Amino acid sequence: MIEQYVWDLQEVDETQVAVVGGKGAHLGGLSRIEGIRVPAGFCVTTDAFRRIMAEAPSIDDRLDQLSRLNPDDREAIGTLSAQIRRSIEGTAIPGDLAAAITRALGRLGDQAAYAVRSSATAEDLPTASFAGQQDTYLNVVGPAAILQHVSRCWASLFTERAVTYRQRNGIDHRTVDMAVVVQQMVFPHAAGILFTADPVTGNRKVATVDAGFGLGEALVSGLVNPDVFTVRDGEVVAKAIAAKERAVQALSAGGTQEVAIDSQRQEQPALTDAQVVRLVQLGRRIEAHFGRPQDIEWCLVDDDFRIVQSRPITTLFPVPVPETGDQENHVYVSVGHGQMMTDPMKPLGFSMWQLTAMVPMHEAGGRLFVDVTRRLASPASRAGLLDVLGRGDPLIRDALETVLDRDDFVPSLPDAGPGGPPAGGASAPSEPDPAIVTELIERSQASIAALERDIRTKTGPALFDFLLEAFEEHKRVLSDPLSMQAIMAGMEATWWLNDQLQEWLGEKNAADTLTLSAPDNVTSEMGLALLDVADVIRPQSEVVAFLQGVEDEGFLDELAKLPGGTEARDAIEGYLDRYGMRCVGEIDITRPRWRERPTTLVPVILDNVRNFEPGAAERRFEQGRQKAQKKEQDVLSRLRALPDGDRKADEAKRMIDRVRTFIGYREYPKYGIVSRYFLYKQALLEEAERLVQAGVLPEKEDIFYLTFQELRGVVRSQQVDDRLIQQRKEAFRSYHALTPPRVLTSDGEALTGAYRRDDVPAGALIGLAVSAGTIEGRARVILDMADADLEAGDILVTPFTDPSWSPLFVGIAGLVTEVGGLMTHGAVIAREYGLPAVVGVEQATRLIRDGQRIRVHGTDGYVEILGGAAGGDLVG
């Protein structure tokens, strides 16, 4: 069949990406929208490309070599991809294929000018735009030239940048095909790009238009600065007219050239306001057709717009969909920033968190958000919400205040509507009973033991019924008023001490030292317990050597065969019995737990063997306790010397006792949640194993891409939608490229907030002071705990730390994170261990380079970059 090689644009729509590539499919879809004019043309299909690839010499071998290359090996990728391009361009187009292309040209006018444009099957997709990865050739005239440029487009699938992009995104080169779009050339007065949402803020109500004279090539290549128009609600609300000194125009014989613009025209707008508004109306029509915000290339010919491309804007963070489906304004706060886990969660993960959370949560981009609109709308609840969120993360408070400053966005309610409990939860009684901590821990342990006993007997649909009941018990334990009292008692005592001791003694963050080595902190105990494991392993040289080469998760069985290996195995097993349910990103039930992947702990154990002396855990805890005791004596004696000093000292003593009694419990509820999660997970994976055995699922982990409710349906019906799982896997991969905002509005505007401080040195990185002290040392920028390789005195710089990172805390001198607040886990443990720490430092892992020397000001909340690498030393 000759004609399968060429399809007219009018025959194509966006469902045919596999045949005509992303660009061709979008252009076909565009040409079907009423009122949208697309230049006439045709597509040379992917069948033609595959035929050329089959005939090009040595392609298979070279693709094999290419797939084995490291994406960072630019030289090797450049050499090999150039060889592949030469091979494709050197392959003659078979006669029947050339004839099909020539016939299509004849129908449109074979001596007319055309744009010949690459259209790969992996571009202009909702999850990856691949923008600029392949080539476009403008003003190509005559059949011979067009055939030559079709070959060049095929070859452009293997430009160095396209190959690297695919390797970095884990896309197999063989799974991507290239179609070619041949379109009648447009000779515009002006051209440019329309974004139907603001590409910087994400606001879906705002459109921006970039415009210049001549062909759009001048803007895309950066030859000129465009005019920029901002449109909202059908009117131009802002514009910046650039001096456009040059343009790109077509030559009559083919090709393009740069031309100078007359000086009188340079500062004239390329479009009138009326044209801009009309263009945005066309853009809204296109956006409605494709169902998401678009990046649209347009040309203006005789006051008439032609659309030459439209692709999704892939960098925008998705907007949560309100359950009510209303059109009201909504303000959402990120859950991940409070939970110290801003990575995307898989569907089973976020749905389980939603089902066990105390407030309704909405998913977007694999992250969870809480709708706070109702509480912001009422003056009574607004102050409490801003206060509690501001203490946790000042950037969230600032972002919310930015929204509130726009008087019209959040409606004002006369009083608090239904919106859940007050922001701060139950307030602490004047003197909570210290015995409640022991009682709460015992209650939690009993509840978990009951869950472990009862869940064993449940399978199939009965398991899911049981789990829904277990989730209610989960929430009952979490919302226990006594538990809230204990947490708030510790937090309020901390705030009181910091505020009062600053006022009375002029001392910042005094509570940080007073809480060192506080009892009953399950997370700080977890870090110290791994030092004890290292003590068992350190004397056994064969065990240490064996652990240095461990890669297989079954290594614990192998350990027992070595001298001293049984004791080493028992020590690690004992640790896993107590803490094996933990892992990085543990709020996502789908993440591998330490018990499932014990190799994660091996580098940390080896660091502890190398960096510490025997007995370090007990010494560390005792040193912290003595330091806190000394600080208490110092503070109380200085207070007694003040006017009304005895009263002040007595109050401070009461609060110090309270904070030491209750602050450790702050970490326990999360430990309880994660302990329950591991039991839920084990039961669900056993169910998944039965689905695999029954041939319903290819692999157990596929259940992670279904929500809890969907998985329940699959277990009942014994049927699964394979396409849904595949789509979810692709979407999850794409969510990693998105940065979740602290605050998000229903308009799609992403707000990160600002610190608004002028008390820090120029060039310093501002954050939140969460653990006092100043330290200088070598920055270790670590994105994955498994890659940690720390020396004593290093400062850990990482996006976020949840409790699973605390085993690293015993070996570092300071901490810097991009996410966090005063009471998030990293901050609590940093204070426990006496580590100077600054959290909430925007883009810390990009602005600080691994190995740089930095100074962390944990008392004042900023970080200075000092330059070259060196060891660590306390300087204040």
Side-chain angles (χ1 to χ4, degrees):
M1 279 177 58
I2 294 172
E3 292 305 322
Q4 71 181 356
Y5 293 131
V6 174
W7 285 23
D8 191 274
L9 268 183
Q10 299 285 342
E11 300 175 88
V12 175
D13 66 25
E14 55 269 33
T15 64
Q16 288 157 306
V17 171
V19 181
V20 295
K23 191 176 292 153
H26 270 78
L27 285 167
L30 283 166
S31 65
R32 292 162 177 249
I33 306 172
E34 192 180 338
I36 302 298
R37 296 192 61 185
V38 176
F42 59 88
C43 298
V44 182
T45 66
T46 51
D47 280 345
F49 172 75
R50 281 193 292 272
R51 184 164 167 194
I52 291 296
M53 289 292 280
E55 295 186 12
S58 319
I59 283 287
D60 266 350
D61 291 346
R62 286 177 174 146
L63 287 179
D64 286 341
Q65 289 174 46
L66 201 57
S67 64
R68 290 195 291 269
L69 292 178
N70 184 315
D72 296 323
D73 190 347
R74 292 189 56 180
E75 192 176 337
I77 287 175
T79 303
L80 199 49
S81 55
Q83 289 170 2
I84 294 171
R85 288 198 305 277
R86 280 197 297 274
S87 181
I88 294 169
E89 286 187 46
T91 300
I93 299 177
D96 57 335
L97 173 50
I101 295 170
T102 308
R103 258 198 308 281
L105 282 172
R107 289 195 291 275
L108 293 171
D110 58 11
Q111 289 308 310
Y114 292 88
V116 182
R117 314 172 70 191
S118 309
S119 179
T121 54
E123 68 174 353
D124 297 352
L125 305 178
T127 56
S129 78
F130 288 75
Q133 298 305 311
Q134 282 89 37
D135 292 346
T136 287
Y137 301 97
L138 299 177
N139 202 30
V140 183
V141 180
I146 283 166
L147 289 172
Q148 181 191 14
H149 285 85
V150 167
S151 282
R152 285 187 182 170
C153 283
W154 287 330
S156 75
L157 190 63
F158 296 97
T159 61
E160 186 180 329
R161 63 181 183 275
V163 167
T164 304
Y165 189 95
R166 287 195 295 274
Q167 306 236 135
R168 286 193 196 287
N169 284 277
I171 295 166
D172 181 349
H173 301 297
R174 282 190 170 82
T175 61
V176 185
D177 292 326
M178 178 67 85
V180 181
V181 176
V182 181
Q183 263 180 303
Q184 283 182 338
M185 188 67 191
V186 174
F187 302 100
H189 158 76
I193 299 161
L194 156 64
F195 295 98
T196 64
D198 186 318
V200 178
T201 68
N203 195 323
R204 309 312 200 255
K205 298 273 179 77
V206 172
T208 63
V209 175
D210 290 6
F213 294 126
L215 293 166
E217 221 32 34
L219 304 190
V220 175
S221 65
L223 180 66
V224 296
N225 289 327
D227 298 339
V228 181
F229 301 86
T230 305
V231 177
R232 186 176 183 128
D233 299 328
E235 63 175 304
V236 176
V237 292
K239 58 184 167 184
I241 307 305
K244 299 168 290 295
E245 296 176 4
R246 307 188 74 70
V248 174
Q249 290 186 341
L251 294 167
S252 55
T256 60
Q257 69 172 11
E258 286 180 27
V259 294
I261 302 285
D262 293 345
S263 55
Q264 305 94 302
R265 270 188 78 208
Q266 285 178 9
E267 305 217 9
Q268 284 179 10
L271 297 177
T272 65
D273 283 10
Q275 285 170 331
V276 170
V277 170
R278 183 152 49 91
L279 175 61
V280 170
Q281 286 168 347
L282 294 176
R284 293 282 176 228
R285 201 175 292 180
I286 293 168
E287 178 183 67
H289 175 83
F290 289 120
R292 62 182 66 230
Q294 298 286 302
D295 159 358
I296 297 165
E297 292 180 24
W298 55 268
C299 297
L300 181 68
V301 185
D302 301 329
D303 197 35
D304 193 16
F305 286 103
R306 310 287 166 88
I307 304 301
V308 294
Q309 189 160 339
S310 184
R311 62 167 78 92
I313 308 175
T314 57
T315 54
L316 298 178
F317 201 87
V319 181
V321 179
E323 281 164 21
T324 52
D326 61 44
Q327 298 300 305
E328 305 289 315
N329 290 344
H330 291 269
V331 182
Y332 300 96
V333 169
S334 163
V335 172
H337 284 80
Q339 288 295 335
M340 300 294 277
M341 212 301 263
T342 52
D343 287 349
M345 297 167 77
K346 296 189 178 106
L348 187 63
F350 67 68
S351 66
M352 295 277 280
W353 194 259
Q354 285 171 312
L355 286 165
T356 51
M358 303 311 300
V359 292
M361 292 182 177
H362 309 267
E363 181 272 337
R367 280 79 167 189
L368 290 170
F369 294 85
V370 173
D371 186 343
V372 295
T373 321
R374 244 345 185 12
R375 283 168 50 192
L376 285 177
S378 155
S381 58
R382 180 189 308 149
L385 180 73
L386 290 174
D387 182 53
V388 108
L389 290 177
R391 281 184 184 274
D393 186 336
L395 294 177
I396 289 180
R397 177 178 184 137
D398 186 77
L400 290 174
E401 286 175 337
T402 302
V403 177
L404 289 167
D405 285 345
R406 300 170 191 156
D407 298 334
D408 56 343
F409 193 82
V410 176
S412 209
L413 297 176
D415 51 33
S427 60
S430 53
E431 279 302 336
D433 179 1
I436 66 174
V437 171
T438 309
E439 186 186 333
L440 284 164
I441 290 172
E442 284 170 358
R443 277 193 210 175
S444 174
Q445 287 170 340
S447 173
I448 290 163
L451 172 67
E452 189 167 11
R453 183 187 64 235
D454 297 342
I455 204 168
R456 285 183 188 144
T457 59
K458 307 294 189 289
T459 61
L463 170 66
F464 289 82
D465 297 339
F466 171 80
L467 282 172
L468 287 171
E469 289 174 27
F471 296 164
E472 292 310 307
E473 165 68 3
H474 182 124
K475 289 196 273 192
R476 190 194 65 71
V477 172
L478 267 188
S479 61
D480 185 335
L482 268 187
S483 181
M484 191 60 80
Q485 275 180 26
I487 291 169
M488 291 310 296
M491 286 165 69
E492 288 176 349
T494 303
W495 296 336
W496 187 95
L497 284 165
N498 281 338
D499 292 347
Q500 292 304 125
L501 296 182
Q502 179 152 12
E503 186 185 325
W504 292 339
L505 300 174
E507 191 167 330
K508 280 186 184 176
N509 301 336
D512 293 359
T513 309
L514 294 165
T515 54
L516 288 172
S517 299
D520 297 315
N521 187 319
V522 69
T523 308
S524 62
E525 286 166 6
M526 179 169 78
L528 296 173
L530 207 59
L531 287 174
D532 290 337
V533 172
D535 284 356
V536 175
I537 289 168
R538 191 178 292 106
Q540 313 299 338
S541 56
E542 285 190 49
V543 170
V544 173
F546 170 77
L547 289 176
Q548 283 165 344
V550 156
E551 287 178 8
D552 180 61
E553 297 301 341
F555 74 93
L556 287 169
D557 294 334
E558 296 298 309
L559 258 186
K561 300 171 186 171
L562 301 170
T566 307
E567 296 84 343
R569 185 195 61 192
D570 292 348
I572 296 172
E573 284 284 1
Y575 187 85
L576 290 172
D577 287 343
R578 179 98 207 265
Y579 304 110
M581 77 295 284
R582 308 220 83 147
C583 67
V584 172
E586 61 194 8
I587 69 168
D588 181 352
I589 199 170
T590 72
R591 291 283 192 108
R593 312 281 135 178
W594 290 344
R595 170 55 81 186
E596 296 168 310
R597 198 175 284 175
T599 53
T600 310
L601 292 173
V602 171
V604 193
I605 293 170
L606 289 171
D607 280 351
N608 288 350
V609 165
R610 190 175 69 243
N611 294 333
F612 291 94
E613 297 293 321
E618 198 177 332
R619 267 198 313 281
R620 287 287 296 265
F621 189 80
E622 185 54 29
Q623 283 164 359
R625 200 182 64 74
Q626 287 179 14
K627 212 170 174 185
Q629 209 170 10
K630 194 174 163 199
K631 182 71 174 176
E632 177 182 331
Q633 290 164 355
D634 171 58
V635 162
L636 296 179
S637 67
R638 284 159 64 201
L639 286 174
R640 288 201 177 92
L642 298 175
D644 197 17
D646 286 348
R647 178 189 64 80
K648 289 172 181 169
D650 289 348
E651 280 187 27
K653 171 64 177 158
R654 204 167 67 247
M655 286 299 177
I656 291 167
D657 289 348
R658 185 187 295 186
V659 83
R660 290 195 66 78
T661 300
F662 292 104
I663 203 67
Y665 178 74
R666 162 75 182 81
E667 292 294 296
Y668 201 87
K670 183 80 168 273
Y671 177 76
I673 290 171
V674 177
S675 299
R676 299 178 76 88
Y677 258 35
F678 192 38
L679 296 171
Y680 304 153
K681 181 179 188 179
Q682 287 171 308
L684 290 171
L685 281 174
E686 283 172 22
E687 208 52 53
E689 185 58 52
R690 284 188 274 277
L691 291 171
V692 171
Q693 296 298 329
V696 178
L697 287 177
E699 49 192 55
K700 281 196 304 188
E701 283 74 17
D702 283 350
I703 67 165
F704 297 161
Y705 297 94
L706 298 169
T707 64
F708 179 83
Q709 297 85 343
E710 288 165 349
L711 178 55
R712 188 185 189 192
V714 168
V715 168
R716 276 190 177 145
S717 67
Q718 294 290 294
Q719 289 180 315
V720 74
D721 181 348
D722 296 328
R723 277 175 324 172
L724 176 69
I725 289 178
Q726 202 46 47
Q727 284 166 2
R728 293 273 176 79
K729 286 180 177 177
E730 287 167 14
F732 178 70
R733 267 199 302 270
S734 74
Y735 293 155
H736 281 278
L738 299 174
T739 302
R742 282 176 164 80
V743 171
L744 185 63
T745 73
S746 48
D747 284 355
E749 186 174 3
L751 298 110
T752 51
Y755 283 107
R756 308 187 194 285
R757 286 174 54 187
D758 52 13
D759 59 341
V760 298
L765 308 181
I766 302 175
L768 180 63
V770 295
S771 185
T774 304
I775 188 77
E776 256 183 45
R778 178 179 69 155
R780 294 312 315 267
V781 179
I782 295 173
L783 305 182
D784 183 344
M785 184 175 151
D787 299 333
D789 178 16
L790 296 162
E791 300 287 344
D794 283 347
I795 297 170
L796 176 62
V797 181
T798 190
F800 57 81
T801 62
D802 57 14
S804 71
W805 287 74
S806 60
L808 293 184
F809 283 24
V810 297
I812 57 174
L815 174 70
V816 179
T817 68
E818 295 178 339
V819 174
L822 269 173
M823 284 297 162
T824 45
H825 302 277
V828 172
I829 305 307
R831 288 195 290 273
E832 278 277 315
Y833 288 165
L835 299 175
V838 180
V839 302
V841 180
E842 284 283 279
Q843 298 193 7
T845 58
R846 291 178 205 167
L847 298 172
I848 299 170
R849 290 199 310 278
D850 187 51
Q852 272 185 321
R853 192 172 174 79
I854 62 173
R855 184 182 294 135
V856 177
H857 294 263
T859 309
D860 295 314
Y862 65 91
V863 180
E864 290 179 283
I865 299 174
L866 306 175
D873 47 277
L874 208 60
V875 294

